[in-house]
Every structure is written in structure tokens, then in C-alpha cells.
Amino acid sequence: MIKAVLFDMDGILYDSMPFHVCAWSEASDKYHLKYAPEDFYLYEGRTGESTLDILFNQTFGRNATEEEKTVIYQEKTNCFNRINTSRVMAGAAKALEQVKRLGLDALVVTGSAQKSLIDQLNNDFPGCFQREKMVTGFDVRYGKPHPEPYQMGLAKAGVQAHEAIVIENAPLGIQSAVAAGIFTVAVNTGPLPDSLLRDKGAHRLFHSMDALAQDFASVIRDAEGER
Ligand code: CA
């Protein structure tokens, strides 16, 4: 029996990826780092430090120093906070209604590390999430695509891998959830081809949170049928 639904946040609950991409591009320009904007959709889910190592390696052939990581990631965060409108993803509230209707537990598993996150979630999705059942960038050591964030989510939900499903939009997030042994639903809300999400092992794929909400009962049946 499925008992818990682990939601990724950026690109699933919030339509925030365009703002992250813009903020990464602005910070990269300022420090003359080479990038293609669509690459940031491929890095989504990584920690900021690990993304900076990739950018430094493709620009200068070396990792970023600790100081560079601190300064440039702060720059990216400041830019994101300035431009982000915190718009909720269309259909996310409907999907959460389905979770509630089926009596399942909802959790957030995100690499994001903002202190006010739970307040914002409570404001935008009242009564859906609890503070002690969240995995954020403050909790994890490795970040996605390592299975650690979703393993931590299972522990916080108090369930086994076969008792949960994951809702994810990013290739590395899907890789993380699949590595944790969890039935993983891809919702492709960005510009990447579906094949990139399927290749990471997604069990089902939708193109919007609305479409997922409409088919939610069948997703749960599929996840239970896999077991
Ligand atoms: Ca995401």
C-alpha cells in the first residue's frame, strides 16, 4: 500500500525554474563562466557547489574554490530572490487535494535552502505539509542525484521505499528517487525532451501537474501493482 507522496519543489510545486535559470545566467555572466541556459535544467537538483564545480571546470579546467563557491552562490541567490515571484505551479494544489483525498501523507524533498520555506509552503498550500517532515538543502550532505535526499524523505515519512511515490521534474531528481528504489512520476514542466526523463527510469510521465492530478488514482494503482 502506498502511504506517502514525496514532492520535489522547484518545477513541481512552484513554477520557479525560469527564475533559477535567469539567476544562474546572471551570476555566470558576472564571473565570466561559460554556460548554455538550458544546461541549468540538466543540473537542476544538484547543490549550488556542485553546479559551480561544473561551470568552473568547463571554463577554467578546475573546480571552484570554497571562497568562489560562497561568493558566486550568494550572488545567484540574491538575484533569484530579487526576481522570483513565487508563483505556484498550475495544478499543484489539485494534485495535493488528491493526496489528501486518498489519505496519503505529503512531504517535500528539495535541495533548496531557504529559511522561510515552510512558512511559504503553509501559506500557498495550507495544511498540506509539516515542518518535521521536510528534507531541504540544510539536511542533506550529497544532494541529488545521490539517493540520500529521498532516503531521508522515506525516513521522515516513516515508510519503506515500496510505500511511497516521488513526483519530480528534473533528470537528476528522477535518478535520485529511482536510486532510492521509489516509484517515480516525472512531470515534464520544462524545456527538456521527455526522453531525458524516461532514460533516468521514470515509471510514469505527465506534461503538467493538472494532468497528474486528473490521473492520480491510476498512478497509485500502478505504483501498488509494481510491488
Ligand atoms: Ca525540481
Side-chain angles (χ1 to χ4, degrees):
M1 283 285 286
I2 299 298
K3 295 176 179 167
V5 183
L6 311 184
F7 285 89
D8 168 53
M9 190 176 74
D10 291 296
I12 288 292
L13 297 175
Y14 291 98
D15 192 6
S16 46
M17 274 312 293
F19 304 114
H20 280 292
V21 171
C22 190
W24 270 118
S25 301
E26 193 177 304
S28 300
D29 285 341
K30 183 163 175 184
Y31 292 91
H32 310 292
L33 300 172
K34 285 186 202 158
Y35 67 96
E38 58 272 21
D39 288 349
F40 294 116
Y41 287 94
L42 295 173
Y43 306 151
E44 187 187 349
R46 283 192 186 284
T47 61
E49 296 195 347
S50 134
T51 297
L52 282 167
D53 277 338
I54 293 175
L55 294 171
F56 267 74
N57 272 293
Q58 65 196 22
T59 308
F60 306 117
R62 63 166 176 89
N63 282 350
T65 64
E66 289 308 312
E67 193 193 342
E68 286 163 339
K69 285 174 179 170
T70 305
V71 170
I72 303 174
Y73 191 62
Q74 189 59 53
E75 183 85 26
K76 183 261 167 181
T77 303
N78 292 346
C79 178
F80 176 76
N81 289 340
R82 195 175 66 239
I83 60 179
N84 180 29
T85 59
S86 300
R87 66 181 178 224
V88 165
M89 183 65 77
K94 272 191 206 163
L96 280 160
E97 270 169 35
Q98 294 301 311
V99 172
K100 216 177 240 181
R101 192 179 65 81
L102 295 171
L104 309 174
D105 214 359
L107 284 87
V108 171
V109 177
T110 177
S112 180
Q114 301 163 51
K115 293 225 159 48
S116 59
L117 216 53
I118 188 70
D119 297 330
Q120 195 186 333
L121 283 165
N122 281 339
N123 193 44
D124 293 327
F125 306 99
C128 291
F129 300 106
Q130 296 161 267
R131 184 184 298 272
E132 60 278 14
K133 289 187 179 175
M134 278 185 80
V135 178
T136 72
F138 294 114
D139 302 306
V140 298
R141 181 161 172 205
Y142 300 108
K144 301 165 186 176
H146 195 282
E148 177 202 34
Y150 282 111
Q151 286 167 339
M152 215 173 255
L154 293 173
K156 290 203 176 188
V159 302
Q160 304 289 315
H162 66 272
E163 296 173 316
I165 68 167
V166 165
I167 316 293
E168 258 289 352
N169 69 309
L172 297 181
I174 292 164
Q175 189 177 335
S176 164
V178 169
I182 309 171
F183 186 95
T184 304
V185 180
V187 184
N188 193 1
T189 58
L192 298 177
D194 289 350
S195 58
L196 273 178
L197 307 186
R198 291 196 198 278
D199 288 350
K200 295 294 185 186
H203 299 83
R204 292 280 302 262
L205 188 141
F206 295 92
H207 291 110
S208 69
M209 290 297 280
D210 264 312
L212 166 66
Q214 275 177 29
D215 231 359
F216 201 80
S218 97
V219 167
I220 298 298
R221 276 199 303 277
D222 274 9
E224 291 179 341
E226 283 263 312
R227 307 301 165 184

